[in-house]
Amino acid sequence: MTQPAPSHPTARPVVLLTGASSGIGRATATELAGLGYALVIAARRADDLHALARQLDPSGARVLAVPTDVTDDASRRALIAAAHAHYGHIDVLINNAGVTIEKGWWWDDTDPLRVLRVNLEAPIELTRLVLPEFQARGSGHILNIGSVAGRAATNGMYSASKFGIRGFSLALRRELLGTGVHVSLVAPGFVRSEMTASARLPMPGPEVVARTVARVLLQPRPETIVPRLYRPLVWLEGLFPALGDAVVQKLIYRRYDHSSDTNR
């Protein structure tokens, strides 16, 4: 029989979630709030973030919105401090904030390394900030949102960041074995979001990822690919990379070529 959630907000597991204002982050915030988690939601878009917090918890007791630039050290530290000031502790860190280069080729972009700063450097630095608390307590969960692009390379900068976050997650899990701190990677394929708006593919909504995140928080796993149909595709990519070349050339490069033409 399912037990009711504790009535006091700080008695609930406290989740710090980045990139919460849209897409997978917004769906995850909605899913976890519905399950009774206390949330600290972070994103750059302050208006959207505060509106989401009011929608999920008009009282303001269970959902705290903290506008944050995850690439800025002071902003990251202010986020952690705000979480501690409101709840007294953090139980779960979900590194979800992510960007890509949406038009053209990465080498034509004015700042391609911002993808690495948001998608890889920021999760590493936020993990460094919460780890002392988790290790001292002997519990905690770091859940990183990766991508199937971290198993089957497509965009140079985006895949570099997602290959990196996969390696970081799997290695960190081993480094923390026996400490009581869990590390998980959830790797989505294409789902509907602002980032995939230009992709002409049938895609489920971000809720499928949010539900997977909720399950992994209850039953920690090292790595989960979602939707499930991408699992055999990742396996095939490893065995027959030429097949992946053909798929990428047809579905991905065509868009880049078109974008490059229109931008010149």
Side-chain angles (χ1 to χ4, degrees):
M1 179 176 177
T2 302
Q3 296 296 318
S7 59
H8 193 277
T10 57
R12 296 179 172 89
V14 177
V15 176
L16 192 162
L17 168 67
T18 67
S21 63
S22 64
I24 290 171
R26 186 183 184 92
T28 300
T30 302
E31 177 77 13
L32 297 183
L35 293 173
Y37 287 88
L39 299 178
V40 182
I41 55 175
R44 287 184 302 168
R45 291 180 288 194
D47 291 344
D48 292 343
L49 194 69
H50 286 298
L52 176 60
R54 289 192 298 270
Q55 174 188 326
L56 297 178
D57 177 30
S59 74
R62 269 201 310 124
V63 180
L64 174 66
V66 184
T68 304
D69 177 358
V70 295
T71 67
D72 179 74
D73 182 63
S75 190
R76 290 190 295 258
R77 291 179 183 275
L79 171 62
I80 301 297
H84 284 143
H86 192 77
Y87 293 115
H89 65 283
I90 299 167
D91 298 299
V92 178
L93 169 64
I94 301 179
N95 287 306
N96 167 73
V99 297
T100 190
I101 294 171
E102 299 190 15
K103 293 184 179 180
W105 303 96
W106 66 264
W107 53 82
D108 293 324
D109 194 87
T110 58
D111 184 20
L113 294 182
R114 75 183 186 279
V115 177
L116 299 183
R117 291 194 295 271
V118 174
N119 297 6
L120 182 57
E121 181 182 304
I124 291 171
E125 292 295 341
L126 283 167
T127 296
R128 279 212 306 161
L129 292 175
V130 302
L131 262 183
E133 174 185 354
F134 287 8
Q135 289 177 299
R137 192 175 60 225
S139 67
H141 199 155
I142 297 160
L143 192 153
N144 295 319
I145 302 298
S147 173
V148 168
R151 301 290 295 274
T154 53
N155 176 295
M157 287 296 102
Y158 188 72
S159 285
S161 71
K162 294 304 183 178
F163 270 77
I165 200 66
R166 179 173 187 261
F168 173 68
S169 300
L170 298 182
L172 181 64
R173 184 188 69 84
R174 286 179 170 166
E175 291 171 326
L176 294 173
L177 287 173
T179 66
V181 181
H182 299 288
V183 181
S184 300
L185 178 74
V186 172
F190 282 100
V191 297
R192 287 195 308 274
S193 69
E194 292 180 3
M195 192 178 294
T196 60
S198 62
R200 298 179 180 178
L201 295 169
M203 292 178 281
E207 294 77 15
V208 67
V209 183
R211 290 192 293 270
T212 299
V213 168
R215 287 196 297 271
V216 171
L217 290 184
L218 292 176
Q219 297 180 320
R221 300 180 61 183
E223 184 175 15
T224 304
I225 295 172
V226 61
R228 295 177 64 90
L229 65 88
Y230 282 93
R231 297 175 190 180
L233 296 179
V234 166
W235 179 76
L236 286 172
E237 161 73 9
L239 289 179
F240 307 107
L243 178 62
D245 291 350
V247 172
V248 169
Q249 193 167 30
K250 182 175 182 180
L251 298 179
I252 307 296
Y253 287 177
R254 182 180 297 174
R255 175 171 69 87
Y256 291 155
D257 287 337
H258 177 71
S259 298
S260 298
D261 291 343
T262 58
N263 287 338
R264 288 174 182 163

